[in-house]
Amino acid sequence: MSNKIIIATSVPVNTQKAWDYYNEPVHITQWNFADPSWHCPSASNNMVPGGKYSARMEARDGSFGFDFEATYNEVIPGKSFTYTMPDGREVNVLFEANGDGQTNINVSFDPETENPLEMQKAGWQAILDNYQQYVANN
């Protein structure tokens, strides 16, 4: 695999709330899309090694949709997790308190080979930015 792509954000909440809003399906469906023309109508998340993550992502106009799925390799509750997508790419997510009542979230992932790296980074960052906005406003 090539070098990982890294994206990051900071949210104005403690690590437990940041973790919950990132990982609980009731919250995932509120932020897990790259732009307002998309939505995430359903999600499920079994955060244990070997457990499955699944999120349905669809265009709001119904023209396109797909299931994003992964299997957890490691979960350290409130701190970090690693999962592998069906194509073998790995994703690592780390939550760190920054001492200011805020939490930094760092995501690193193996790029796929279909799309330019900058496009992949921008798409994943847009979803993470959407998460940041959701947490900041809820």
Side-chain angles (χ1 to χ4, degrees):
M1 282 287 153
S2 20
N3 291 339
K4 290 190 179 288
I5 294 174
I6 299 170
I7 58 170
T9 194
S10 183
V11 291
V13 297
N14 65 40
T15 53
Q16 188 59 56
K17 184 173 179 180
W19 177 270
D20 292 346
Y21 274 44
Y22 198 96
N23 295 304
E24 292 177 1
V26 65
H27 296 298
I28 293 167
T29 57
Q30 301 302 306
W31 60 262
N32 190 29
F33 39 90
D35 82 44
S37 67
W38 281 72
H39 68 140
C40 180
S42 64
S44 62
N45 200 9
N46 181 17
M47 291 195 80
V48 296
K52 303 279 188 213
Y53 170 85
S54 180
R56 179 72 186 165
M57 301 172 90
E58 294 180 356
R60 288 191 187 271
D61 66 8
S63 63
F64 187 74
F66 65 95
D67 294 311
F68 182 94
E69 297 178 327
T71 302
Y72 287 99
N73 305 328
E74 180 182 49
V75 177
I76 302 171
K79 281 197 117 8
S80 66
F81 58 89
T82 301
Y83 61 77
T84 301
M85 294 179 267
D87 63 4
R89 295 184 298 133
E90 193 173 270
V91 178
N92 303 292
V93 182
L94 176 65
F95 293 75
E96 292 181 306
N98 72 7
D100 226 1
Q102 297 205 25
T103 301
N104 297 331
I105 296 103
N106 292 290
V107 180
S108 62
F109 63 95
D110 294 323
E112 40 92 347
T113 55
E114 304 289 310
N115 295 293
L117 296 180
E118 281 307 312
M119 182 178 162
Q120 293 179 63
K121 183 174 185 172
W124 282 60
Q125 185 68 56
I127 293 170
L128 194 59
D129 290 348
N130 212 24
Y131 160 79
Q132 190 277 336
Q133 289 296 310
Y134 174 71
V135 173
N137 294 311
N138 290 283

